[in-house]
Amino acid sequence: ISPYLRYDDIEYDRSLLNPQMIALEKQIDDELSMFDESIASDAKEVTVSLIYPHLRAGTLPLSPRVRSFFPTAYESPRVRFTLVDGKTKQKMPGWVALEHGYVYGLRDWYKSHDLMPGSLISIRRGEIPGEVIVEAKTYRATKDWVRTVIVGADGGIVFAMLKQSISAEFNDRMVFAIPSLEAVDQLWTKGQNKSFDLLVVSMIGELSKLTPQGHVHAQELYSAVNIVRRVPPAPLFALLASHPEIAHVGDLHFRLS
């Protein structure tokens, strides 16, 4: 399993999650979220927003909504299939790693489309069995203001609104431009060693500088935390609901009290 996808269990109380948080957790398509399979869809297409660990590992989460699109074999931990680029029709080998809950084989494809955390990828059934179509909604590059990840002089994470070249559709709440993956990898090493509470509080502090209200949405925070440490939504949301220094200001927006 890629180090970016490895999750060290965080103890939390699930009863702290309110209905809004549970609804958001279902939307996020995190393979580590524990749902009954009843939310699996028979949709023709699903769209997922990339998070940094999947971008780095070249993987897609096998969430309940996504799982039905991919071949599964109960005897074998890895199932090979073919990924097809929806636009170019290019074919790429892919593997389903059932025991870890993800699909891998997309690293070069992500790179070739200049994708970033928050980029949208649509997944649909292939024309023939054993093929799955993936498509990034790409367009001619334009400059846009987006949250950008910078490594500060002290080696800590800094967020700034900067103009970046964007060439694919993204989820507004989850997008982060990362000019240097290598620099962010150093943050990753640090993120593993910091206490989860401290990490989240410092992330809210950094992100809140980007808005006049000083508020941070839970989904934005989830994407940001995953830039330095692999964490599913539930433990994060439980911390937001219970931490004495964090106040809920409505509609899943939070600020430091």
Side-chain angles (χ1 to χ4, degrees), residues 160-231:
M161 290 301 282
L162 297 174
K163 267 201 154 173
Q164 299 289 356
S165 172
I166 307 283
S167 55
E169 283 176 29
F170 56 80
N171 176 324
D172 237 0
R173 286 222 165 104
M174 292 176 68
V175 67
F176 286 91
I178 300 185
S180 166
L181 293 173
E182 290 67 30
V184 171
D185 283 346
Q186 292 164 15
L187 294 173
W188 188 266
T189 316
K190 284 189 167 174
Q192 311 315 302
N193 305 327
K194 199 168 186 176
S195 98
F196 182 53
D197 294 34
L198 281 175
L199 176 67
V200 172
V201 167
S202 68
M203 279 283 184
I204 296 175
E206 278 303 320
L207 285 167
S208 63
K209 295 172 187 171
L210 299 182
T211 60
Q213 307 85 357
H215 299 166
V216 179
H217 191 275
Q219 190 169 2
E220 178 189 351
L221 186 62
Y222 160 76
S223 186
V225 168
N226 272 282
I227 293 169
V228 296
R229 180 170 171 176
R230 181 71 185 101
V231 177

Side-chain angles (χ1 to χ4, degrees), residues 32-54:
L32 298 169
S33 292
M34 292 303 180
F35 294 120
D36 50 12
E37 292 299 305
S38 61
I39 68 160
S41 72
D42 51 2
K44 297 273 180 284
E45 184 173 325
V46 297
T47 300
V48 298
S49 307
L50 269 185
I51 55 172
Y52 182 75
H54 285 297

